[in-house]
Amino acid sequence: MASNGYVRWFKDIRNSDVAMVGGKNASLGELYSTLAAEGILVPNGFALSAACYRDALTAAGAWNRLHALFDDLDKTDVAELSRRAAEARAIIYDATGTGEIRRQVTAAYQQLEREGGRNLAVAVRSSATAEDLPTASFAGQHDSFLNVRGAAALFEACRRCFASIATDRAISYRIDNGFDHFKVYLSVGVMRMIRSDKAASGVIFTLDTESGFRDVVFITGAYGLGENVVQGQVNPDEFYVHKPTFRAGHRAVLRRSLGEKSIRMIYRRGSAGQADTTYNVATHKADRARYCLTDAEVLRLAGYAIAIEDHYSANAGHPMPMDIEWAKDGPGGELYVVQARPETVASRRTAGGMESYHLKGTGRKLVTGRAVGEKIAVGAVRVIEGPHDLEAFRPGEVLVAEATRPDWEPVMKTAGAIVTDHGGRTCHAAIVARELGVPAVVGAGNAMATLATGTMVTVSCADGDVGHVFDGALPFEVTRLPASETAMPRTQVMVNLGNPEMAFSTAMLPNAGVGLARLEFIIGEQIRAHPMALADPASLRDPAARKAIDKLTAGYASPAAFFIERLSEAVGTICAAFYPKPVIVRMSDFKTNEYARLLGGTQFEPKEENPMLGFRGASRYAHPAYAAGFALECAAMRRVRDEMGLTNLFLMIPFCRRVEEARRVIEVMAGHGLKRGAGGLEIFVMCEIPNNVIQIDAFSQLFDGFSIGSNDLTQLTLGVDRDSEIVAFDFDERDPGMLEMLRLAVTGARRNGRHVGICGEAPANYPEIVSFLVGLGIDSISVNPSSLLRTIAVVREAERALQPAAREREPA
């Protein structure tokens, strides 16, 4: 036997050597030997080959004994599984304790010492010959050992690593995944430890792990050694980087989230005769309050990840999303890749499709109102009389309230369904429920008096306009149509989206982009403070509000910087998800009473008798009472386009009453660096006031397109308060007067060569309106995610119905 017969150095290993050194070591060798030219740092190390494991067990006569333990094993007998696994580990541990293995391990370790210093710390990790493959990761099934020092301790760790092929979990994993115990062999990887105990470490995925969205790099990190992140023992920092714009040369973090990072794993030096180990300590408060990586480091890691994915994809001949572990060296500050393997979960997930809900039972109706969401949910009632009741709310419960507020949204995100006494289909509860994809019954009138906390109910919004709350848990079925079966029509069907957390999953459905992203919902959820309070915090007279804003914006250069970064990252996430399709973002359209609820807002907002018709939309942007806040909005939008490179962002002005007001807003935006036409910037206007329709020729001279807001346009055309349950029956987009308004808007925009779409819910609720608009030649229809696929089908059917008439009009 050659003196180095079982040792393979990383420089001599390639990805094709899985049978020799297992998936993990083959990947490390590939990284170390081929990607150094890309500037990717990988610590040096070596592998003990799978032949070492096989030869040792053969020489010890271990195979027959292992067959006796595994061949008739019933994994459901947990106690017997544990007993046999322990016996198997003892057999393997004894078999691998040979003098020859000890000699080869010692010689290789001494070589590492010559490179890195005496008593060098190394990591010892398993690498199965069926591991880290595109269809099976074996992640976490075998044992790893960190901070191993000295040849004797290393030999001991290698033996324990070999034996871990017989852990209870590894045995069960092989059975569940159809692997033959005797065709999976173990190699051991030995790598120089990076002193991330003095810095940080974490995991990178080259896709979004929740949705499977492929165009982002997702980076997580925490202080100390990486085991806490890998094992889920710590809530890490999270970062996203957008791949297409990164490749185009733009260097910006797309989105970030500060994790608690409550503990950090560090080295513990063993006392005399004892092995070195690792242990957790509490993270200092100041460290927990800041990110473990700088933006420059995040972007460097993103570059590593993209290069690794490109390399593996090129070798595989198809896209190969990757799961990568990284570590930062405390003393030197360098960033290293310590593991890379194909991602095996999210990348295999298929995109969603159309869902149809149907009740299969009947029950006593408790409450009736207007239906939102087209779904059915079952849950226990939780009556919320005020904010003090929110602490008791549990995920999956049915939230029952008089009305909902923007600051309730974190709790609303966990609700199984929402029921309110007040409000119409466009109230806060309805809009949020649509974006969250949960059913809601609004304007019920008697829900608070009828429903009691703890009562089990079924909320059904699957029967058109009317929603019902039934007593008890009723059975229901869900029919799903794969998105792959949903062809796109000629008319653009876009999506309304205000929640960045839903952007990646929604973008994977068929769509033509985002027809409406409401800035006010992003401000309410992501920022929670009044823009003027952040633009001029020194003017705040309320000490409690000032203290709260100081806490909210801690770690930022200024409250204004906080606003710009948070808003730009939220909008940027939506733009990145749909890139390069257009994303039309509507500048803020809070009413004064809604603005006043934001942190510090009461000082900056007047009290109005009718906020719906008051100081809202375009009238605010150049007004001294809000000009500084609008400047911050513009700065955030400019950052999305210029720094992030997301030029698919278009802007839209809401509630613009007069042509002169429109001209003034366009000038103000240009002064803030958002000049119409510059860099391809298009500026749209909401067509939601009768004057927008009457003077559509004049508005067309100032804007690139129109989006019909059917909710406000119906309200102002019919003179109906859409949030009043008393007259809600008169709110109907199908009224002949409203249809004429829609006709004038569409034909007027087309006459002026301007894009025209609709972003209200009328098309989703009424198929006849879809047919009417398609017949007029509308360019786009934008609906909420829950209505998207159904609307595509309705539009396609409307276009088919129009084809014979179109052919008849063609000249002979």
Side-chain angles (χ1 to χ4, degrees), residues 630-691:
F630 186 65
L632 294 184
E633 292 184 32
C634 290
M637 298 305 99
R638 190 172 66 248
R639 182 171 186 259
V640 173
R641 289 183 56 87
D642 296 347
E643 294 183 30
M644 295 183 174
L646 294 162
T647 53
N648 60 324
L649 167 64
F650 297 162
L651 300 176
M652 184 155 64
I653 306 304
F655 221 76
C656 189
R657 295 175 169 96
R658 299 169 54 248
V659 173
E660 182 54 40
E661 183 176 64
R663 186 174 290 110
R664 188 161 58 248
V665 169
I666 292 288
E667 291 174 356
V668 169
M669 293 177 70
H672 292 312
L674 295 172
K675 184 177 181 180
R676 179 184 169 209
L681 173 62
E682 294 188 13
I683 301 179
F684 285 48
V685 65
M686 289 290 294
C687 186
E688 56 189 340
I689 299 171
N691 198 38

Coordinates of all heavy atoms in Angstrom, one line a residue, residues 630-691:
F630 N -42.5 63.7 0.4 CA -42.5 63.2 -1.0 C -41.1 63.1 -1.5 O -40.8 62.3 -2.3 CB -43.4 64.1 -1.8 CG -43.5 63.7 -3.2 CD1 -44.2 62.5 -3.5 CD2 -43.0 64.4 -4.3 CE1 -44.4 62.1 -4.8 CE2 -43.2 64.0 -5.6 CZ -43.8 62.8 -5.9
A631 N -40.2 64.1 -1.1 CA -38.8 64.0 -1.5 C -38.2 62.7 -1.1 O -37.4 62.1 -1.8 CB -38.1 65.2 -0.9
L632 N -38.5 62.2 0.1 CA -38.0 60.9 0.5 C -38.5 59.8 -0.3 O -37.8 58.8 -0.7 CB -38.3 60.7 2.0 CG -37.7 61.6 3.1 CD1 -38.1 61.1 4.5 CD2 -36.2 61.6 2.9
E633 N -39.8 59.8 -0.7 CA -40.4 58.8 -1.5 C -39.6 58.8 -2.9 O -39.2 57.7 -3.4 CB -41.8 59.1 -1.8 CG -42.8 58.9 -0.6 CD -44.2 59.1 -1.0 OE1 -44.6 58.8 -2.1 OE2 -45.0 59.6 -0.1
C634 N -39.4 60.0 -3.4 CA -38.7 60.1 -4.7 C -37.2 59.5 -4.6 O -36.7 58.9 -5.5 CB -38.7 61.5 -5.2 SG -40.3 62.1 -5.7
A635 N -36.6 59.9 -3.5 CA -35.2 59.4 -3.3 C -35.1 57.9 -3.3 O -34.2 57.2 -3.8 CB -34.6 60.0 -2.0
A636 N -36.1 57.3 -2.6 CA -36.2 55.8 -2.6 C -36.4 55.2 -4.0 O -35.8 54.2 -4.4 CB -37.3 55.3 -1.6
M637 N -37.3 55.8 -4.7 CA -37.6 55.3 -6.1 C -36.4 55.5 -7.0 O -36.1 54.7 -7.8 CB -38.8 56.0 -6.7 CG -40.1 55.8 -5.9 SD -40.6 54.1 -5.6 CE -40.0 53.8 -4.0
R638 N -35.7 56.6 -6.8 CA -34.5 56.8 -7.6 C -33.4 55.8 -7.3 O -32.7 55.3 -8.2 CB -33.9 58.3 -7.3 CG -32.8 58.7 -8.3 CD -32.5 60.1 -8.1 NE -31.9 60.4 -6.8 CZ -32.4 61.1 -5.9 NH1 -33.7 61.6 -6.0 NH2 -31.8 61.3 -4.7
R639 N -33.3 55.4 -6.0 CA -32.3 54.4 -5.6 C -32.6 53.0 -6.3 O -31.7 52.3 -6.7 CB -32.3 54.2 -4.1 CG -31.3 53.2 -3.6 CD -31.1 53.2 -2.1 NE -30.0 52.3 -1.7 CZ -30.2 51.1 -1.2 NH1 -31.4 50.6 -1.0 NH2 -29.2 50.3 -0.9
V640 N -33.9 52.7 -6.4 CA -34.3 51.5 -7.0 C -33.8 51.4 -8.5 O -33.3 50.4 -8.9 CB -35.8 51.2 -6.9 CG1 -36.2 50.0 -7.7 CG2 -36.2 51.1 -5.5
R641 N -34.1 52.5 -9.2 CA -33.7 52.6 -10.6 C -32.3 52.7 -10.8 O -31.7 52.0 -11.7 CB -34.5 53.7 -11.3 CG -36.0 53.4 -11.4 CD -36.7 54.6 -12.2 NE -36.1 54.8 -13.5 CZ -36.5 54.1 -14.6 NH1 -37.4 53.2 -14.5 NH2 -35.9 54.4 -15.7
D642 N -31.6 53.7 -10.1 CA -30.2 54.0 -10.4 C -29.2 53.1 -9.8 O -28.3 52.6 -10.4 CB -30.0 55.5 -10.0 CG -30.8 56.5 -10.8 OD1 -31.4 56.0 -11.8 OD2 -30.9 57.6 -10.4
E643 N -29.4 52.9 -8.5 CA -28.4 52.1 -7.8 C -28.6 50.6 -7.9 O -27.7 49.8 -8.2 CB -28.3 52.4 -6.3 CG -27.8 53.8 -6.0 CD -27.7 54.1 -4.5 OE1 -27.5 53.2 -3.7 OE2 -27.9 55.3 -4.1
M644 N -29.9 50.2 -7.8 CA -30.2 48.7 -7.9 C -30.3 48.3 -9.4 O -30.2 47.1 -9.7 CB -31.5 48.4 -7.2 CG -31.5 48.6 -5.7 SD -33.0 48.2 -5.0 CE -32.6 48.3 -3.2
G645 N -30.5 49.3 -10.3 CA -30.5 48.9 -11.7 C -31.9 48.4 -12.2 O -31.9 47.8 -13.3
L646 N -32.9 48.5 -11.4 CA -34.2 48.0 -11.7 C -35.0 49.0 -12.4 O -35.9 49.6 -11.9 CB -34.9 47.5 -10.4 CG -34.2 46.4 -9.7 CD1 -34.6 46.2 -8.2 CD2 -34.4 45.0 -10.4
T647 N -34.7 49.1 -13.7 CA -35.3 50.1 -14.6 C -36.7 49.7 -15.1 O -37.3 50.4 -15.8 CB -34.4 50.5 -15.7 OG1 -34.0 49.3 -16.4 CG2 -33.1 51.2 -15.3
N648 N -37.1 48.5 -14.6 CA -38.5 48.1 -14.9 C -39.5 48.8 -14.0 O -40.7 48.6 -14.1 CB -38.7 46.6 -14.9 CG -38.3 46.0 -13.5 OD1 -37.4 46.5 -12.8 ND2 -39.0 45.0 -13.1
L649 N -39.0 49.6 -13.1 CA -39.9 50.4 -12.2 C -40.5 51.6 -12.9 O -39.7 52.5 -13.4 CB -39.1 50.9 -11.0 CG -39.8 52.0 -10.1 CD1 -41.0 51.4 -9.5 CD2 -38.8 52.5 -9.0
F650 N -41.8 51.6 -13.0 CA -42.5 52.8 -13.5 C -43.3 53.4 -12.3 O -43.6 52.7 -11.4 CB -43.5 52.4 -14.6 CG -42.9 51.8 -15.9 CD1 -43.6 51.1 -16.8 CD2 -41.5 52.0 -16.1 CE1 -43.0 50.6 -17.9 CE2 -40.9 51.5 -17.3 CZ -41.7 50.7 -18.2
L651 N -43.6 54.7 -12.4 CA -44.3 55.4 -11.3 C -45.6 55.8 -11.7 O -45.9 56.1 -12.9 CB -43.4 56.5 -10.9 CG -42.0 56.2 -10.4 CD1 -41.2 57.4 -10.0 CD2 -42.1 55.2 -9.2
M652 N -46.5 55.9 -10.7 CA -47.9 56.3 -11.0 C -48.4 57.3 -10.0 O -48.1 57.1 -8.8 CB -48.8 55.1 -11.1 CG -50.3 55.4 -11.4 SD -51.1 54.0 -12.2 CE -51.1 52.9 -10.8
I653 N -49.1 58.3 -10.4 CA -49.6 59.4 -9.6 C -51.1 59.1 -9.3 O -51.9 59.0 -10.2 CB -49.4 60.8 -10.2 CG1 -47.9 61.0 -10.6 CG2 -49.9 61.9 -9.3 CD1 -47.0 60.8 -9.5
P654 N -51.4 59.1 -8.0 CA -52.8 58.8 -7.6 C -53.6 60.1 -7.4 O -53.1 61.1 -7.1 CB -52.7 58.0 -6.3 CG -51.5 58.6 -5.7 CD -50.6 59.0 -6.8
F655 N -54.9 60.0 -7.6 CA -55.9 61.1 -7.2 C -55.4 62.4 -7.7 O -55.3 63.4 -6.9 CB -56.2 61.1 -5.7 CG -57.6 61.3 -5.4 CD1 -58.6 60.3 -5.6 CD2 -58.1 62.5 -5.0 CE1 -59.9 60.4 -5.4 CE2 -59.5 62.7 -4.7 CZ -60.4 61.7 -4.9
C656 N -55.1 62.5 -9.0 CA -54.7 63.8 -9.6 C -55.9 64.5 -10.2 O -56.4 64.1 -11.2 CB -53.6 63.5 -10.7 SG -52.8 64.9 -11.3
R657 N -56.3 65.6 -9.5 CA -57.6 66.2 -9.8 C -57.6 67.0 -11.1 O -58.5 67.0 -11.8 CB -58.0 67.0 -8.6 CG -58.3 66.3 -7.3 CD -58.6 67.2 -6.2 NE -59.1 66.6 -5.0 CZ -58.4 66.2 -4.0 NH1 -57.1 66.5 -4.0 NH2 -58.9 65.6 -2.9
R658 N -56.5 67.8 -11.3 CA -56.5 68.8 -12.3 C -55.2 68.7 -13.1 O -54.2 68.3 -12.7 CB -56.6 70.2 -11.7 CG -57.9 70.4 -11.0 CD -58.0 71.7 -10.1 NE -57.7 72.9 -11.0 CZ -56.6 73.6 -10.8 NH1 -55.7 73.3 -9.9 NH2 -56.4 74.6 -11.6
V659 N -55.3 69.2 -14.4 CA -54.1 69.1 -15.3 C -53.0 70.0 -14.7 O -51.8 69.6 -14.8 CB -54.5 69.6 -16.7 CG1 -53.3 69.7 -17.6 CG2 -55.6 68.7 -17.3
E660 N -53.3 71.1 -14.2 CA -52.3 72.0 -13.6 C -51.6 71.3 -12.4 O -50.4 71.4 -12.2 CB -52.8 73.3 -13.2 CG -51.8 74.3 -12.6 CD -50.7 74.6 -13.6 OE1 -50.9 74.7 -14.8 OE2 -49.5 74.6 -13.1
E661 N -52.3 70.6 -11.6 CA -51.8 69.8 -10.5 C -50.8 68.8 -11.1 O -49.7 68.5 -10.5 CB -52.9 69.2 -9.7 CG -52.4 68.4 -8.5 CD -53.6 67.9 -7.7 OE1 -54.4 67.1 -8.2 OE2 -53.8 68.4 -6.5
A662 N -51.2 68.1 -12.1 CA -50.4 67.1 -12.8 C -49.1 67.7 -13.2 O -48.0 67.1 -13.0 CB -51.1 66.4 -13.9
R663 N -49.1 68.8 -13.9 CA -47.9 69.5 -14.4 C -47.0 69.8 -13.2 O -45.8 69.7 -13.3 CB -48.3 70.7 -15.2 CG -47.2 71.4 -15.9 CD -47.7 72.5 -16.8 NE -48.4 72.0 -17.9 CZ -49.7 72.2 -18.1 NH1 -50.4 72.8 -17.2 NH2 -50.3 71.7 -19.2
R664 N -47.5 70.3 -12.1 CA -46.7 70.7 -11.0 C -46.0 69.4 -10.4 O -44.8 69.5 -10.0 CB -47.6 71.4 -9.9 CG -46.8 72.0 -8.8 CD -47.7 73.0 -8.0 NE -48.9 72.5 -7.5 CZ -50.1 72.8 -8.0 NH1 -50.3 73.7 -9.0 NH2 -51.2 72.2 -7.5
V665 N -46.7 68.3 -10.3 CA -46.1 67.1 -9.7 C -45.0 66.6 -10.6 O -44.0 66.2 -10.1 CB -47.2 66.0 -9.5 CG1 -46.6 64.7 -9.2 CG2 -48.2 66.4 -8.4
I666 N -45.2 66.6 -11.9 CA -44.2 66.2 -12.9 C -42.9 67.0 -12.7 O -41.8 66.5 -12.7 CB -44.7 66.3 -14.3 CG1 -45.8 65.2 -14.6 CG2 -43.6 66.1 -15.3 CD1 -45.4 63.8 -14.6
E667 N -43.1 68.3 -12.5 CA -41.9 69.2 -12.3 C -41.2 68.9 -11.0 O -40.0 68.8 -11.0 CB -42.4 70.6 -12.3 CG -42.9 71.1 -13.7 CD -43.4 72.5 -13.7 OE1 -43.5 73.1 -12.5 OE2 -43.8 73.1 -14.7
V668 N -42.0 68.6 -9.9 CA -41.4 68.3 -8.7 C -40.6 67.0 -8.8 O -39.5 66.9 -8.2 CB -42.5 68.2 -7.6 CG1 -41.9 67.6 -6.3 CG2 -43.0 69.6 -7.3
M669 N -41.1 66.0 -9.4 CA -40.5 64.7 -9.5 C -39.2 64.9 -10.3 O -38.1 64.3 -10.0 CB -41.4 63.7 -10.2 CG -42.6 63.3 -9.4 SD -43.7 62.2 -10.2 CE -42.7 60.7 -10.2
A670 N -39.2 65.7 -11.4 CA -38.0 65.9 -12.2 C -36.9 66.6 -11.3 O -35.7 66.3 -11.4 CB -38.3 66.8 -13.4
G671 N -37.3 67.5 -10.4 CA -36.4 68.1 -9.5 C -35.8 67.2 -8.5 O -34.7 67.4 -8.0
H672 N -36.5 66.1 -8.3 CA -35.9 65.0 -7.4 C -35.2 63.9 -8.1 O -34.9 62.8 -7.6 CB -37.1 64.4 -6.5 CG -37.6 65.4 -5.5 ND1 -36.9 66.2 -4.7 CD2 -38.9 65.7 -5.2 CE1 -37.6 66.9 -3.9 NE2 -38.9 66.6 -4.2
G673 N -34.9 64.1 -9.4 CA -34.1 63.2 -10.2 C -35.0 62.1 -10.8 O -34.4 61.1 -11.3
L674 N -36.3 62.3 -10.9 CA -37.2 61.3 -11.6 C -37.8 62.0 -12.8 O -39.0 62.4 -12.7 CB -38.2 60.8 -10.6 CG -37.7 60.0 -9.4 CD1 -38.8 59.7 -8.4 CD2 -37.1 58.7 -9.9
K675 N -37.1 62.3 -13.8 CA -37.6 63.0 -14.9 C -38.2 62.0 -15.9 O -37.6 61.0 -16.3 CB -36.4 63.8 -15.6 CG -36.9 64.6 -16.8 CD -35.7 65.4 -17.4 CE -36.2 66.3 -18.5 NZ -35.1 67.1 -19.1
R676 N -39.4 62.3 -16.3 CA -40.1 61.4 -17.3 C -39.3 61.3 -18.5 O -38.8 62.3 -19.1 CB -41.4 62.1 -17.6 CG -42.3 61.3 -18.6 CD -43.5 62.0 -18.9 NE -44.2 61.3 -20.1 CZ -45.0 62.0 -21.0 NH1 -45.2 63.3 -20.8 NH2 -45.5 61.3 -22.0
G677 N -39.1 60.0 -19.0 CA -38.3 59.7 -20.2 C -36.8 59.5 -19.9 O -36.2 58.8 -20.7
A678 N -36.3 60.0 -18.8 CA -34.8 59.8 -18.5 C -34.6 58.4 -18.1 O -35.2 57.9 -17.2 CB -34.4 60.8 -17.4
G679 N -33.7 57.7 -18.8 CA -33.4 56.3 -18.5 C -34.6 55.4 -18.7 O -34.7 54.3 -18.1
G680 N -35.5 55.8 -19.6 CA -36.7 55.0 -19.9 C -37.8 55.1 -18.9 O -38.7 54.3 -18.9
L681 N -37.7 56.1 -17.9 CA -38.7 56.2 -16.9 C -40.1 56.6 -17.5 O -40.2 57.6 -18.2 CB -38.3 57.2 -15.9 CG -39.4 57.6 -14.8 CD1 -39.7 56.3 -14.0 CD2 -38.9 58.7 -13.9
E682 N -41.1 55.8 -17.2 CA -42.5 56.2 -17.6 C -43.3 56.5 -16.4 O -43.1 55.9 -15.3 CB -43.1 55.0 -18.3 CG -42.5 54.7 -19.7 CD -43.3 53.7 -20.5 OE1 -44.5 53.4 -20.1 OE2 -42.7 53.1 -21.5
I683 N -44.1 57.5 -16.5 CA -44.9 58.0 -15.4 C -46.4 57.9 -15.8 O -46.8 58.4 -16.8 CB -44.6 59.4 -15.0 CG1 -43.1 59.5 -14.5 CG2 -45.5 59.9 -13.8 CD1 -42.7 60.9 -14.1
F684 N -47.1 57.1 -15.0 CA -48.6 56.9 -15.3 C -49.4 57.8 -14.3 O -48.9 58.3 -13.4 CB -48.9 55.4 -15.1 CG -48.5 54.5 -16.2 CD1 -47.2 54.5 -16.7 CD2 -49.3 53.6 -16.7 CE1 -46.8 53.7 -17.7 CE2 -48.9 52.7 -17.7 CZ -47.6 52.8 -18.2
V685 N -50.7 57.8 -14.6 CA -51.6 58.5 -13.7 C -52.8 57.6 -13.4 O -53.2 56.9 -14.4 CB -52.0 59.9 -14.2 CG1 -52.8 59.7 -15.5 CG2 -52.8 60.7 -13.2
M686 N -53.3 57.6 -12.2 CA -54.5 56.9 -12.0 C -55.7 57.6 -12.6 O -55.8 58.8 -12.5 CB -54.8 56.8 -10.5 CG -53.9 55.9 -9.7 SD -54.1 54.2 -10.0 CE -55.8 53.9 -9.3
C687 N -56.5 56.9 -13.3 CA -57.7 57.4 -13.9 C -58.9 57.0 -13.0 O -59.5 56.0 -13.2 CB -57.9 56.9 -15.4 SG -59.3 57.6 -16.3
E688 N -59.1 57.9 -12.0 CA -60.1 57.5 -11.0 C -61.0 58.6 -10.6 O -61.8 58.5 -9.7 CB -59.3 57.0 -9.7 CG -58.3 58.0 -9.2 CD -57.4 57.3 -8.1 OE1 -57.8 56.3 -7.5 OE2 -56.4 57.9 -7.8
I689 N -60.9 59.8 -11.2 CA -61.7 60.9 -11.0 C -62.4 61.3 -12.3 O -61.8 61.2 -13.4 CB -60.9 62.1 -10.5 CG1 -60.2 61.8 -9.2 CG2 -61.7 63.4 -10.3 CD1 -59.1 62.8 -8.8
P690 N -63.7 61.6 -12.3 CA -64.3 61.9 -13.6 C -63.6 62.9 -14.5 O -63.6 62.8 -15.7 CB -65.7 62.4 -13.2 CG -66.0 61.6 -11.9 CD -64.7 61.5 -11.2
N691 N -62.9 63.8 -13.8 CA -62.2 64.8 -14.6 C -61.0 64.2 -15.3 O -60.6 64.7 -16.4 CB -61.6 65.9 -13.6 CG -61.2 67.2 -14.4 OD1 -61.9 67.6 -15.4 ND2 -60.2 67.8 -14.0

